[in-house]
Amino acid sequence: EVQLVQSGAEVKKPGESLKISCQTSGYTFSSYWIGWVRQMPGKGLEWMGIVYPGDSDTRYSPSFQGQVTISADRSSATAFLQWSSLKASDTAIFYCARLVSLGRAFYFDLWGRGTLVAVSS
Amino acid sequence: EIVLTQSPATLSLSPGERATLSCRASQSVGSYLAWYQQKPGQAPRLVIYDSSNRATGIPARFSGGGSGTDFTLTISSLEPEDFAVYYCQQGDNWPLTFGGGTKVEIK
């Protein structure tokens, strides 16, 4: 079965660092882009960035460039999203999702269940 | 960055009625638009890709159309499980972008 399993909810303080994970199974990890999507409380979806595990190529939304780091580990078929210094405004649910290229375009065909990150002093 | 504007923000309908959702792009995205369904407490699910192709397992009551800057998602006869928030997403240009969503609620 193809699935993305995300790490559990986190409660952190402003200024702390954090790395959340998305472990994949059931498909060739290195052959698909995998990305992260933010959903702030009661709000819509925001694309943050993606990584191609085959060569670690990454692309970021301008809104998130420099704010987070996206990476992947082929040996464990896991993607990561990390912050070096969290802010209260980082409080959100973060979804990992597999990106498929259907011809010329890119869509998210498989999603994890989400990781809730709560940042509060 | 391509901005996607969805309308209406909320659609109040009864089961069995037809739902028509709109997504307008700030510039042409060809036919490279997808729709996702999100239910409370759940991850989004791909419904339609390339404007009109149903994703795996999506019932035939869901249909999509449009090209360029104007797109629609139609649910021909609403079932109780269809009440949810729907997002469009363009897959043509970086950065990928989502619309703000349309909530389909029970009237």
Side-chain angles (χ1 to χ4, degrees):
Chain A
E1 182 188 4
V2 181
Q3 55 181 348
L4 306 179
V5 178
Q6 297 189 230
S7 51
E10 302 273 1
V11 179
K12 307 293 279 187
K13 296 187 186 314
E16 292 185 330
S17 62
L18 177 63
K19 190 173 187 177
I20 62 175
S21 65
C22 172
Q23 183 163 35
T24 74
S25 60
Y27 73 95
T28 304
F29 181 64
S30 297
S31 299
Y32 292 83
W33 291 88
I34 189 160
W36 292 91
V37 175
R38 184 176 77 173
Q39 189 166 40
M40 299 179 76
K43 301 299 183 182
L45 305 174
E46 300 173 272
W47 177 72
M48 301 176 72
I50 52 174
V51 58
Y52 189 73
D55 60 6
S56 296
D57 187 17
T58 53
R59 301 186 186 186
Y60 292 92
S61 165
S63 300
F64 293 94
Q65 180 82 48
Q67 308 303 308
V68 297
T69 302
I70 293 171
S71 60
D73 174 39
R74 288 200 302 270
S75 67
S76 61
T78 301
F80 301 96
L81 175 65
Q82 67 181 88
W83 296 259
S84 59
S85 181
L86 286 160
K87 303 183 285 289
S89 58
D90 290 317
T91 295
I93 296 173
F94 295 89
Y95 293 100
C96 65
R98 187 177 75 171
L99 197 65
V100 290
S101 172
L102 298 170
R104 172 179 150 172
F106 290 89
Y107 307 112
F108 296 100
D109 73 329
L110 183 66
W111 294 69
R113 297 180 71 174
T115 295
L116 173 65
V117 174
V119 184
S120 174
S121 54
Chain B
E1 175 175 316
I2 294 177
V3 176
L4 300 178
T5 302
Q6 292 188 239
S7 62
T10 303
L11 201 51
S12 298
L13 295 168
S14 301
E17 290 194 294
R18 182 184 189 89
T20 303
L21 288 65
S22 174
C23 177
R24 176 163 289 177
S26 59
Q27 63 189 73
S28 178
V29 297
S31 60
Y32 305 119
L33 189 105
W35 293 90
Y36 299 84
Q37 176 194 70
Q38 187 179 33
K39 298 178 182 179
Q42 295 186 19
R45 177 174 72 149
L46 180 65
V47 177
I48 297 285
Y49 66 93
D50 281 356
S51 178
S52 61
N53 296 310
R54 280 189 302 276
T56 303
I58 300 301
R61 64 181 180 272
F62 288 87
S63 63
S67 65
T69 60
D70 291 293
F71 300 86
T72 57
L73 173 69
T74 301
I75 310 171
S76 59
S77 178
L78 284 163
E79 296 287 339
E81 62 267 28
D82 299 335
F83 291 91
V85 180
Y86 292 84
Y87 296 94
C88 56
Q89 176 243 317
Q90 62 84 16
D92 185 48
N93 284 275
W94 303 100
L96 305 179
T97 49
F98 290 94
T102 290
K103 181 179 182 180
V104 180
E105 65 175 23
I106 298 176
K107 186 174 182 180

